[in-house]
Amino acid sequence: MTAYLKSNHGDGTCEAPSQPPAMAGIEILNKMPTQNKTTGGDEPCCGPPPGPPAGPDEKPGYRIFSFVESFVDTPVGRVPRIKSRWDRSDWWGTIMARVGFARDRYRVAPGIYALGRPTAASPVLVTGNYKLTFDTLRKGQSGLDAWLLVLDTRGINVWCAAGKGTFGTDELVARIRAVGLGRLVEHRQLLLPQLGATGVCAISVVKVTGFKVIWGPVRAREIIPFLKNNAAADATMRGVTFTLAERAVLVPVEFYNFRKVLLGALLAGFLLSGIGSPLFDPGAAWSRGLNVAAALLMGMLAGCLAMPLLLPWLPGRAFAVKGAVTGIVAAVLVAWMAAGGALEVLALMLLTTAVSSYLSMTFTGSTPYTSPTGVEKEMRTAMPLQALALLAATAIWITAGVVNGGG
C-alpha cells in the first residue's frame, strides 16, 4: 500500500533517496526527519521534538494532507480516505497554481487513495500527482465509491505527463505492483483518462499485470455518467474543447511566467533610452523609457490576453501569426499614444509586435489545436523573425536617440 513522494527541492527535480519517503496522503515537511542517535527514533532535524502523535498515522517530520479525512484498513494496509469536497486550502492552492506561484511544487504523494466507501468491487480511477488534477478528479466524483491510483507524474498534469512519458506504461505497471492493487480489488480493470492515452500502451499493461485499461472520458465530471452507462462514452465525452472560459483560465500563469523577463526588459529599455549624443542622458532615459515600457506592456497584453481570448477568430493557423495580428493592433495604439519621431514610432511598433508574437507561442502546449511537430516547425520559422524584429527595434531606437540628441 505504501507509495512514496521524494523530497522536492523546488526546481522540478526529486532526489535524496536516503531520506525517509512519504506515504500516500502524508506530506513531508520542509525539515526532513532524521534518526535520533540517542533513542533511535525519528524526529525533526531541527528544533525540539514534537509532542506525541495524535493518531497511528502521524509521525514526526510529516503531516497529513488536509484533504484526508481518515484512514481505512485494507488487505494492503491502511489507505487514506479522501474528501470529494474542497476546503479553504484546496481553493487557495488552486488559485496560486493558476497564477503560477509554486506551480512546480503543487503535488501529492503517489499511491492508492479511497474515495467514499470503496470495496473490492469498486472502480479504480488512475490519475497523476499534480494536485490540481488530483483535486479536480476527486471533486467531480461526489457520491462515488472508488479507488484512486495516483501515478508519479512529477507534479505534471496528465495530458502533458503522457507526452513526457511520466504518465506512462512503466510508471503505471510499477505503481500497480507497489500498492498491491491485485490484492485490493477483485476485478482487473483500470479507468484511465483519455488524455493520457499517448503515454500508456494498454496491451502491455494487461500482459504484465493482468489489468485491462479502459479509457474514460476527457473531463472528470463525466466519469460518473460514463460508469452508469456501462463504461460507454458518447461523442461529448470524447471531444476536447477549448472554450473562452478554458482559455481565460490560462492567462494568469503566462503573466506570472513572464514577470522576470519583463523586469529585465524594462530595465534594458530605460538604459537604452538614455543613449544619445551625450553619452547618457538620464532625462531621456526616463521620458523615452516610458514609451518602451508602454510598448512592452501592450505587447504582453496582446500576446498573453488578447490572443488566447480571440484565438478562434484570429486569421492564420500558426500562433505566432495570430499573436502578430493582435500585436499589430496593439502597436497602432502604442504609436498613437507615444511621443516621438517616425523612427521611434517604428521601433516601438516593431517591439510591440515581436513581443506579442513570441508570447502567443507559449499557448501552443495548452491547446488541442497543435501537435509537437507542428510546434517545433512553427518555432523554427517564427523565432528568427521575432529576434530580427527585436534587433531592428533596438537598433532603430538607439539611432533615434543619437539623431535626436537623446531627447
Side-chain angles (χ1 to χ4, degrees):
M1 185 278 292
T2 304
Y4 301 118
L5 173 64
K6 297 177 182 176
S7 173
N8 178 33
H9 296 273
D11 57 359
T13 62
C14 291
E15 51 186 51
S18 61
Q19 294 176 324
M23 185 177 66
I26 296 179
E27 178 184 13
I28 299 178
L29 296 178
N30 292 330
K31 299 182 184 297
M32 298 298 300
T34 58
Q35 192 74 13
N36 187 309
K37 296 181 179 179
T38 303
T39 65
D42 287 338
E43 66 178 25
C45 65
C46 306
D57 301 299
E58 289 192 0
K59 57 185 300 187
Y62 299 86
R63 68 182 175 196
I64 298 175
F65 282 112
S66 63
F67 57 77
V68 176
E69 61 181 0
S70 63
F71 284 77
V72 57
D73 290 319
T74 74
V76 297
R78 291 177 65 77
V79 170
R81 191 193 310 277
I82 60 176
K83 307 169 187 174
S84 61
R85 64 186 183 279
W86 287 8
D87 59 22
R88 184 180 301 175
S89 65
D90 297 320
W91 284 106
W92 180 247
T94 296
I95 293 172
M96 292 294 98
R98 285 300 187 188
V99 301
F101 182 76
R103 188 181 181 93
D104 293 337
R105 300 189 297 276
Y106 199 52
R107 59 183 73 181
V108 301
I112 191 73
Y113 295 82
L115 183 65
R117 295 290 187 272
T119 66
S122 298
V124 178
L125 315 181
V126 182
T127 189
N129 76 323
Y130 178 39
K131 190 171 184 294
L132 190 54
T133 300
F134 176 83
D135 285 348
T136 301
L137 177 60
R138 65 186 175 92
K139 183 184 178 186
Q141 314 316 317
S142 180
L144 177 67
D145 297 322
W147 302 102
L148 268 59
L149 182 63
V150 178
L151 307 188
D152 185 2
T153 57
R154 311 300 193 270
I156 300 173
N157 69 75
V158 168
W159 196 356
C160 294
K164 294 175 180 292
T166 53
F167 189 93
T169 305
D170 292 342
E171 167 61 15
L172 177 57
V173 169
R175 198 59 53 185
I176 290 172
R177 290 172 171 171
V179 303
L181 191 61
R183 294 183 287 121
L184 183 64
V185 294
E186 60 188 18
H187 60 80
R188 291 297 179 265
Q189 293 184 341
L190 302 170
L191 184 62
L192 271 69
Q194 178 182 309
L195 296 182
T198 56
V200 176
C201 178
I203 296 176
S204 297
V205 174
V206 72
K207 284 183 177 180
V208 176
T209 69
F211 278 88
K212 176 185 177 182
V213 171
I214 298 175
W215 297 110
V218 171
R219 288 161 287 275
R221 65 176 180 269
E222 295 171 339
I223 289 177
I224 293 179
F226 175 81
L227 292 174
K228 289 181 178 179
N229 196 33
N230 296 319
D234 57 31
T236 60
M237 293 180 181
R238 295 297 184 209
V240 178
T241 60
F242 200 44
T243 63
L244 178 62
E246 291 169 337
R247 298 194 300 275
V249 78
L250 299 174
V251 169
V253 71
E254 299 304 332
F255 281 99
Y256 182 86
N257 290 338
F258 190 58
R259 69 195 188 286
K260 292 182 180 179
V261 177
L262 177 63
L263 290 176
L266 288 173
L267 177 60
F270 278 104
L271 291 175
L272 292 174
S273 297
I275 299 176
S277 48
L279 187 60
F280 188 82
D281 183 351
W286 175 252
S287 59
R288 299 179 72 228
L290 290 176
N291 286 333
V292 174
L296 287 170
L297 291 174
M298 288 296 290
M300 189 174 178
L301 289 172
C304 289
L305 180 63
M307 195 289 296
L309 296 184
L310 301 175
L311 179 65
W313 305 287
L314 292 171
R317 291 178 58 87
F319 279 43
V321 173
K322 292 177 180 291
V325 172
T326 57
I328 290 172
V329 175
V332 172
L333 294 176
V334 170
W336 177 70
M337 294 185 299
L343 285 178
E344 291 180 320
V345 169
L346 176 60
L348 294 172
M349 293 184 71
L350 284 172
L351 175 61
T352 304
T353 305
V355 169
S356 176
S357 178
Y358 175 77
L359 292 178
S360 294
M361 293 195 305
T362 62
F363 284 89
T364 55
S366 305
T367 78
Y369 295 178
T370 58
S371 65
T373 54
V375 171
E376 291 177 2
K377 181 179 179 181
E378 177 180 345
M379 292 179 68
R380 286 196 299 268
T381 303
M383 290 185 70
L385 296 176
Q386 293 160 354
L388 183 62
L390 183 60
L391 289 173
T394 303
I396 294 172
W397 187 253
I398 294 174
T399 300
V402 173
V403 170
N404 296 329

